[in-house]
Amino acid sequence: MIEKAEAVVLKTLNHGDTSKIITLYSREVGRLKLIAKGVRSPKSKSMGLFQPTRHLQVIYYSKANSELQLFKSGELVNGFFGLEEDFDRLTLAQVVVELLDRSVEDEETHPRLFQLLIDTLARLSDNAVSSAEAYWFFHTHLLRELGYRPNVGHCSICRDSFSNGGYLGTGSSHLECIKCHQPGHESIFVNETVLNVVQDLLDAQWGELEKSSLTARDRRTLWDFLWRFTFHHIESSRGMKSLKVLRQLYD
Ligand SMILES: [Zn+2]
C-alpha cells in the first residue's frame, strides 16, 4: 500500500553500497523506519533530504507487520537551515532528535509530540529565540507528554510544598524536602529558583516563553536535574552520543 507521512529525520544509517536506512518520527504513525534504495548514488535526487532534523513529506510503500518500509519519494517541508549557522543550536537540535528517538516506541502515534518536535526545531533554528529556553521547554514538555511530568510542587514524602528547594536522589525521580531528605545518598540539591523555572516551563505555551535570568550555577543545576530525572525514566538516554557534545558546551 502506498502511504504518505509528514516526518522529521531522527537518524540515518548507510546500507549496502548506495542505500540508507532512515528512522523518522511522523505525525501519522509515530516512529517510522524506511529503506531508501540508491539514494547515495550521485544521480539520486533525494540525497540531500536525509539529514537528521530535516522535516519532510515522504511517500512510501508499506507492508503490514514489517519493521522496515520502502521509501518511494520525498520532499523538504523545512530544512531548519538556521541550525547550521550556530554550533550550539545544532548540538541542541541533535540532542532533541536523539532523545526523541530513544523515548518512543515504533508505530505509536502521538501527534502532540510530533508538533512539539517541529515547533522546537523551528525555534532552535531561529536566532531571535533563546536556544537554551527553547531546549528546556522541549525537554520538560517531552517528559510531560510521555507521562513523566516532574512534580516540582510538593515533597514526595510529606507533601509539603517546597519553600527552600528540594533534593533529588540517585536512581530516583522524586524530590524530597529538606526535612524529609536523608543525608548520605548521592543527591543533588535543587533550589527554589530552579524548581520554579521547571514549573513555569511546564505551565508555559511557546508564545509565553521568556528568557530566564538564571545564574550559571542554577543553569547547571537545571541541566543536572533534567538529565538525572530523564535517565531514571528513559534508561537508553544515558548512552546518547549528542549528550557528550552537549556536556562539553555546558560544563
Ligand atoms: Zn518532606
Side-chain angles (χ1 to χ4, degrees), residues 154-160 162 175-181:
H154 300 274
C155 168
S156 62
I157 297 172
C158 71
R159 315 301 297 167
D160 277 0
F162 292 115
L175 281 158
E176 297 166 359
C177 75
I178 292 168
K179 280 180 291 162
C180 297
H181 178 68

Side-chain angles (χ1 to χ4, degrees), residues 6-242:
E6 189 191 340
V8 169
V9 179
L10 302 180
K11 64 182 178 193
T12 70
L13 196 68
N14 287 345
H15 180 75
D17 288 336
T18 59
S19 301
K20 258 183 194 291
I21 292 173
I22 303 126
T23 306
L24 305 119
Y25 191 67
S26 73
R27 197 190 288 279
E28 291 81 358
V29 292
R31 206 157 93 133
L32 172 67
K33 245 183 183 172
L34 300 179
I35 179 159
K37 293 189 174 160
V39 287
R40 277 156 59 224
S41 89
K43 282 181 293 178
S44 168
K45 281 182 282 179
S46 307
M47 196 149 86
L49 287 178
F50 303 124
Q51 295 289 326
T53 76
R54 294 274 193 269
H55 179 188
L56 313 175
Q57 188 83 250
V58 290
I59 294 172
Y60 62 98
Y61 300 101
S62 115
K63 227 187 337 179
N65 305 320
S66 169
E67 225 183 75
L68 200 59
Q69 313 297 352
L70 181 63
F71 170 79
K72 181 174 180 284
S73 65
E75 60 183 74
L76 192 67
V77 177
N78 196 332
F80 303 119
F81 295 112
L83 296 172
E84 278 152 34
E85 289 157 24
D86 184 316
F87 185 71
D88 287 23
R89 286 172 185 273
L90 185 62
T91 303
L92 288 169
Q94 282 163 344
V95 174
V96 165
V97 290
E98 199 180 357
L99 180 56
L100 192 102
D101 180 44
R102 291 177 187 235
S103 304
V104 291
E105 305 288 330
D106 283 347
E107 304 213 358
E108 216 176 68
T109 314
H110 196 146
R112 275 218 306 270
L113 203 51
F114 179 78
Q115 195 61 42
L116 176 66
L117 174 63
I118 54 174
D119 286 346
T120 303
L121 294 171
R123 272 146 182 106
L124 285 175
S125 66
D126 177 358
N127 266 324
V129 181
S130 160
S131 57
E133 275 75 10
Y135 177 79
W136 293 331
F137 183 95
F138 165 78
H139 199 133
T140 50
H141 286 250
L142 171 79
L143 292 171
R144 192 181 71 177
E145 289 298 330
L146 296 170
Y148 309 133
R149 183 191 170 113
N151 177 4
V152 289
H154 300 274
C155 168
S156 62
I157 297 172
C158 71
R159 315 301 297 167
D160 277 0
S161 53
F162 292 115
S163 46
N164 295 301
Y167 288 89
L168 183 73
T170 352
S172 162
S173 61
H174 299 300
L175 281 158
E176 297 166 359
C177 75
I178 292 168
K179 280 180 291 162
C180 297
H181 178 68
Q182 300 284 321
H185 298 290
E186 200 197 303
S187 48
I188 52 166
F189 176 68
V190 188
N191 69 27
E192 197 55 18
T193 311
V194 174
L195 292 178
N196 285 336
V197 168
V198 175
Q199 188 67 56
D200 289 348
L201 285 163
L202 284 164
D203 293 340
Q205 307 283 328
W206 273 120
E208 302 161 354
L209 200 58
E210 280 171 25
K211 197 166 163 52
S212 70
S213 49
L214 289 177
T215 61
R217 197 173 158 184
D218 285 348
R219 290 166 82 88
R220 181 68 208 272
T221 306
L222 176 57
W223 284 108
D224 279 353
F225 171 75
L226 288 178
W227 284 107
R228 195 179 274 222
F229 191 88
T230 304
F231 291 158
H232 179 77
H233 287 292
I234 308 161
E235 211 162 303
S236 67
S237 65
R238 291 166 196 247
M240 280 172 47
K241 285 183 219 129
S242 54

